[in-house]
């Protein structure tokens, strides 16, 4: 594999930073997000709170003891989802090769973007996220995913670390093994028993003795310890899109007809998204005029969604911006992209209540359609 430019970005104290951003009185104060909804543990602690020894996963009761003046907030997961999509929107200006990890982290593959290899573009990403969203991120740049993720953690918060093939071992070998992705407390302890504490010590341990301890996982972390990692950026959902288009028997002239047709198309796209269990982040419209001139316009949705009406509103406002009056439309198309698995959002209860109600009603209608055929319930355009 040739030299790659992998970037890992990770928002700083994400949930806590959002709370500080939305309530300036909390700036500079120890803010802890967590509580009952998070099984009574700390989900996020601001860097001010971390000075008291607080960290994610700690029981709230213990956190209160360590930091009695802390500000404890149960948090608003729906809002965090909105910030997350806003950040992803900015990242997608740089490449479509994005692999999100959870809400606040992502890998980007910027290989081949020669001008992107220097620090300038990464600083631009940081600047845009700070200026447009208001949050700070830490960034790691390296030839592979393992090193990039490790790099982003080295200078938090608001960090920026570049690891190259040349300096990789010098940087990682003195670090404790717990810096390796996937090495948790249990493995750390087992390695410690063998006298292996640093990544350098792990690298110099023969693979066979690690295999006796860790099985097939040994090779992966041994490779990591030598700075090796061939895994690719996986952005399957971004490559994928779900769309519907229609060429009309007679070209459309009237705005109300175009609106009605677009409504039917977004209804179909919404139905397919829900069936395949995706939420869309972007919507693209396609218009072909009677002279065969074709245009497409794309925009991001306010929030990831599979609700047909919301797809329609955005698609229609895009269509209205196109100067098509006086021209006749031969074909209309809508496609949804930037797809995210619905289950992820449901698990974290990231769907706004009112939207969630609408979705549940739609899902009930979908069920009837599945059973009795798509024509059993038809929705009229307004
Ligand atoms: P992290 O990136 O692990 O943590 P962080 O962003 O709060 O802090 P930093 O990256 O600066 O070290 O997780 C991102 C968000 O995910 C975090 O703000 C809250 C949430 N989260 C949980 O809900 N439960 C958890 O156990 C963890 C680790 C995170
Ligand atoms: Mg983070």
């Amino acid at each position: 594999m040739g030299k790659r430019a992998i970037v890992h970005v990770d928002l700083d104290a994400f949930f806590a930073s959002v709370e500080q951003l939305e309530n300036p009185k909390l700036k500079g104060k120890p803010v802890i997000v967590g509580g009952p909804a998070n099984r009574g543990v700390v989900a996020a602690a601001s860097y001010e709170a971390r000075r008291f020894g607080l960290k994610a996963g700690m029981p709230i009761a213990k956190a209160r003891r360590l930091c009695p003046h802390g500000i404890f907030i149960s948090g608003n997961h729906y809002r965090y989802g909105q910030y997350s999509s806003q950040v992803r929107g900015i990242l997608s200006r740089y490449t479509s090769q994005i692999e999100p990890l959870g809400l606040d982290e992502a890998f980007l593959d910027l290989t081949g973007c020669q001008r992107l290899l220097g620090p300038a573009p990464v600083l631009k990403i940081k600047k845009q996220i700070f200026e447009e969203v208001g949050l700070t991120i830490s960034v790691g740049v390296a030839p592979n995913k393992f090193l990039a993720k490790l790099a982003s953690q080295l200078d938090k918060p608001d960090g920026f670390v570049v690891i190259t093939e040349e300096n990789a071992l010098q940087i990682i070998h003195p670090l404790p093994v717990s810096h390796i992705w996937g090495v948790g407390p249990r493995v750390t302890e087992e390695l410690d028993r063998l006298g292996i504490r640093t990544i350098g010590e792990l690298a110099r341990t023969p693979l066979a003795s690690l295999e006796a301890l860790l099985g097939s996982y040994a090779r992966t972390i041994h490779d990591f310890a030598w700075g090796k990692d061939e895994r690719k950026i996986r952005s399957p959902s971004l490559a994928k899109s779900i769309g519907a288009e229609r060429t009309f028997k007679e070209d459309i002239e009237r705005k109300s007809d175009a609106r009605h047709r677009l409504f039917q198309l977004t209804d179909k796209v919404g139905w397919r998204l829900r069936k395949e269990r995706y939420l869309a982040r972007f919507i693209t419209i396609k218009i072909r005029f009677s002279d065969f001139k074709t245009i497409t316009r794309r925009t991001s949705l306010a929030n990831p969604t599979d609700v047909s009406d919301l797809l329609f509103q955005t698609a229609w406002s895009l269509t209205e911006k196109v100067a098509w009056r006086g021209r006749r439309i031969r074909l209309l198309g809508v496609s949804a992209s930037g797809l995210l698995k619905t289950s992820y959002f449901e698990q974290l209860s990231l769907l706004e209540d009112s939207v969630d109600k609408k979705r549940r009603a739609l899902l009930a209608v979908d069920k009837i359609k599945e059973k009795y055929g798509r024509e059993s319930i038809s929705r009229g355009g307004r």
Side-chain angles (χ1 to χ4, degrees), residues 69 106 188 205 218 269 364:
H69 306 299
T188 304
T205 308
V269 170

Side-chain angles (χ1 to χ4, degrees), residues 10-15 38 42-44 47 50 56-57 104-105 156:
D10 184 341
L11 288 155
D12 300 317
F14 180 39
F15 293 3
N38 301 287
V42 173
Y47 278 80
R50 291 186 204 192
D104 89 324
E105 285 178 52
K156 263 185 166 290

